[in-house]
């Protein structure tokens, strides 16, 4: 398959919001980009004008959303020549779980993730990847492998999104981001287990290796095994 430009997850996430809940959806999109690692700790968000245009909201609405995230401890605004809105180096922990997860909700999220992520891995491996695509995958893989425990979820999410990005499908990247947000809300309810993280990192490497080798069946299989492991833990803790 011919190589085309990689899709940027920021472009997929910062898409126009619906007019009825402009403030709430703007907060959701910004928070999604931060929690999935699309805009990393210490990084600057796009300019106010650019964000307002991409999200299709007024600058007043955008400022209100940024102020809400600043009050919640996610971003800070800096003045001056090199000013702007920056993601805080240390982010608030996940909110306390609200109620029990029912089996239907859990299986729905896991089924969607399985279909999207195995398909993305297979599609990425089937493409003729550019040097930039390859560097993007290996860079996010290394970041996940070296992530501190309290930042692992974000770096892990960023790697999975990178796989979607190199498929060059904006719709798939958007769907992956939304599905990953749902899964992370479930993962936040269970403990981070160091042996599982070691296993996950080894599986990540196998997935990326298969994609870089252009082995689509192996990439799909490696991703399936990885996702099934996570699903087993979620079922064990939440069922």
């Amino acid at each position: 398959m011919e190589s085309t430009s990689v899709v940027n997850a920021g472009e997929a996430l910062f898409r126009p919001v619906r007019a009825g809940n402009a403030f709430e959806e703007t907060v959701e999109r910004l928070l999604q980009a931060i929690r999935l690692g699309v805009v990393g700790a210490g990084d600057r968000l796009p300019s106010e004008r650019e964000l307002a245009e991409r999200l299709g909201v007024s600058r007043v609405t955008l400022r209100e959303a940024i102020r809400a995230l600043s009050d919640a401890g996610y971003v800070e605004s800096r003045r001056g020549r090199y000013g702007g809105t920056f993601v805080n180096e240390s982010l608030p922990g996940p909110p306390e779980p609200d109620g029990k997860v029912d089996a239907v909700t859990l299986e729905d999220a896991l089924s969607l993730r399985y279909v999207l992520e195995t398909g993305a891995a297979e599609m990425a491996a089937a493409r003729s990847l550019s040097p930039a695509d390859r560097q993007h995958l290996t860079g996010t893989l290394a970041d996940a492998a070296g992530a501190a425990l309290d930042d692992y979820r974000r770096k892990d999410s960023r790697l999975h999104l990178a796989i979607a990005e190199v498929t060059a499908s904006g719709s798939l990247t958007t769907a992956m981001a939304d599905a990953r947000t749902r899964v992370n809300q479930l993962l936040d309810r269970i403990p981070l287990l160091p042996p599982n993280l070691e296993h996950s990192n080894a599986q990540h490497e196998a997935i990326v290796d298969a994609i870089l080798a252009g082995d689509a069946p192996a990439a799909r299989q490696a991703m399936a095994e990885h996702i099934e492991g996570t699903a087993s833990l979620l079922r064990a803790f939440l069922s």
Side-chain angles (χ1 to χ4, degrees):
M1 193 178 296
E2 289 295 321
S3 175
T4 55
S5 298
V6 64
V7 170
N8 183 285
E11 295 173 1
L13 289 175
F14 297 141
R15 61 192 187 277
V17 304
R18 290 170 294 185
N21 296 300
F23 167 75
E24 291 81 1
E25 288 197 26
T26 298
V27 170
E28 179 186 21
R29 298 284 169 77
L30 295 175
L31 194 53
Q32 192 177 34
I34 293 168
R35 284 183 169 163
L36 294 179
V38 174
V39 186
D43 289 348
R44 184 181 183 275
L45 289 171
S47 70
E48 185 179 283
R49 182 174 66 179
E50 181 183 352
L51 271 179
E53 288 176 355
R54 287 165 64 177
L55 291 167
V57 298
S58 70
R59 293 174 78 162
V60 170
T61 297
L62 179 64
R63 286 170 190 155
E64 289 175 344
I66 289 173
R67 187 178 303 113
L69 290 180
S70 177
D71 291 344
Y74 287 94
V75 300
E76 66 173 356
S77 295
R78 303 174 191 167
R79 298 182 181 277
R81 182 177 178 184
Y82 300 105
T85 301
F86 293 81
V87 177
N88 287 336
E89 293 286 350
S90 179
L91 298 177
E96 287 296 317
D98 181 19
K100 192 177 186 322
V101 179
D102 65 87
V104 173
T105 298
L106 176 60
E107 292 304 323
D108 181 68
L110 295 179
S111 295
L112 179 61
R113 185 192 186 197
Y114 183 91
V115 171
L116 290 174
E117 297 225 28
T118 57
E122 181 177 29
M123 186 175 178
R127 294 187 66 239
S128 177
L129 299 178
S130 69
D133 293 338
R134 291 172 174 273
Q135 184 175 9
H136 189 37
L137 288 175
T138 56
T140 52
L141 174 65
D143 286 345
L149 202 61
D150 62 357
D151 202 29
Y152 185 82
R153 201 83 79 205
R154 206 152 45 116
K155 299 295 187 181
D156 175 40
S157 299
R158 191 66 192 93
L159 170 60
H160 283 263
L161 274 182
I163 293 170
E165 287 174 309
V166 301
T167 68
S169 170
S171 296
L172 177 56
T173 303
T174 298
M176 281 268 288
D178 291 341
R180 182 68 198 208
T181 297
R182 288 180 64 190
V183 169
N184 279 0
Q185 289 169 352
L186 298 171
L187 288 170
D188 285 340
R189 292 171 173 258
I190 70 174
L192 284 164
L193 308 175
N196 170 248
L197 300 190
E198 285 184 31
H199 188 210
S200 289
N201 286 333
Q203 290 177 323
H204 286 160
E205 187 171 353
I207 293 164
V208 171
D209 283 349
I211 292 172
L212 295 178
D215 190 337
R220 184 181 185 89
Q221 179 61 30
M223 181 63 83
E225 290 177 2
H226 176 52
I227 287 174
E228 285 165 359
T230 302
S232 294
L233 284 179
L234 286 169
R235 292 186 183 110
F237 279 100
L238 301 180
S239 296

